[in-house]
Amino acid sequence: NAGVTQTPKFQVLKTGQSMTLQCAQDMNHNSMYWYRQDPGMGLRLIYYSASEGTTDKGEVPNGYNVSRLNKREFSLRLESAAPSQTSVYFCASRRAGIYNEQFFGPGTRLTVL
Amino acid sequence: AQSVTQLGSHVSVSEGALVLLRCNYSSSVPPYLFWYVQYPNQGLQLLLKYTSAATLVKGINGFEAEFKKSETSFHLTKPSAHMSDAAEYFCAVSGLGGKLIFGQGTELSVKP
């Protein structure tokens, strides 16, 4: 049981390049989330998917797109990377139910030059 | 709207001393509150959660937190700090759809 996995672990991009961050969970969770973590700002929600087939914007969605490929996988795409998107990105998943906590992946450290 | 404020971005304690990390929340509905810990270069791990069953919540690694509605607080404590407790700690409140609203985080240092 791997939990939540993310690929890649590290990535360096040049301004304007595109890339997709991959996330998968093997816990049969309905909901999945993408966050970015910046120093002194905690984690901020980019997009989330309450269930397979649905996605919604979070607090900081500009410059990102997502795809809920199936129940297991939720990808985050940067179409044209900008230096302001330099951050650590975390994927999380959660079982349905109001009391249930989110489980986090190990993160992807992205640098945009 | 819901929000979380963590007082103190850095807290330093001596090994064996009391750990107190402060969290205040704002919520128009009964809150579900969480504390997560992040060790260097790792993801977040759940320490404990408040789900209205009991105001004093016990978590992993000897941590506990007390929900105080009158003070809108959910402070995290541990009676005796260990070197391995050095990490960043996040308080969060759950919103619609299970979305988490995080505080800014508190980095805990433990001195030998």
Side-chain angles (χ1 to χ4, degrees):
Chain A
N1 192 345
V4 180
T5 57
Q6 294 183 236
T7 55
K9 293 190 186 304
F10 301 94
Q11 185 70 50
V12 178
L13 293 178
K14 295 181 179 178
T15 297
Q17 287 185 317
S18 62
M19 79 161 296
T20 299
L21 281 64
Q22 306 287 353
C23 173
Q25 52 91 9
D26 63 0
M27 296 175 282
N28 201 34
H29 287 172
N30 291 318
S31 302
M32 297 186 74
Y33 308 81
W34 275 106
Y35 295 89
R36 60 177 289 172
Q37 182 181 24
D38 302 291
M41 303 188 75
L43 279 76
R44 293 179 293 168
L45 183 65
I46 305 171
Y47 271 93
Y48 69 103
S49 172
S51 61
E52 187 178 356
T54 68
T55 61
D56 284 290
K57 295 178 180 179
E59 181 185 355
V60 289
N62 291 344
Y64 305 95
N65 284 300
V66 290
S67 296
R68 182 75 183 265
L69 305 170
N70 48 55
K71 192 171 186 179
R72 289 187 64 248
E73 299 172 288
F74 188 38
S75 63
L76 178 71
R77 183 161 178 83
L78 287 70
E79 291 290 351
S80 179
S84 60
Q85 294 178 304
T86 293
S87 187
V88 182
Y89 292 85
F90 288 99
C91 178
S93 70
R94 175 180 169 271
R95 184 163 47 96
I98 55 175
Y99 299 136
N100 294 321
E101 68 271 21
Q102 293 183 19
F103 291 80
F104 285 80
T108 295
R109 187 173 296 273
L110 175 67
T111 301
V112 183
L113 302 175
Chain B
Q2 294 169 301
S3 65
V4 172
T5 301
Q6 291 183 239
L7 299 177
S9 57
H10 292 90
V11 170
S12 182
V13 301
S14 297
E15 193 171 20
L18 171 71
V19 176
L20 171 60
L21 304 182
R22 299 178 186 273
C23 172
N24 288 89
Y25 69 91
S26 172
S27 179
S28 56
V29 297
Y32 300 112
L33 295 158
F34 303 81
W35 274 101
Y36 282 87
V37 60
Q38 184 181 31
Y39 299 103
N41 299 313
Q42 293 188 26
L44 278 70
Q45 177 183 355
L46 181 72
L47 271 179
L48 50 81
K49 62 181 179 181
Y50 168 73
T51 60
S52 76
T55 57
L56 183 62
V57 182
K58 295 188 183 298
I60 62 171
N61 301 338
F63 284 93
E64 62 182 36
E66 186 172 8
F67 174 73
K68 292 187 177 181
K69 184 178 179 180
S70 61
E71 299 178 7
T72 61
S73 69
F74 190 55
H75 301 331
L76 183 71
T77 60
K78 182 174 180 177
S80 177
H82 191 272
M83 297 296 291
S84 61
D85 295 326
E88 189 155 22
Y89 293 80
F90 292 94
C91 182
V93 63
S94 181
L96 287 174
K99 295 182 291 183
L100 290 177
I101 296 96
F102 284 89
Q104 304 90 324
T106 297
E107 185 174 354
L108 175 67
S109 301
V110 182
K111 299 175 290 187

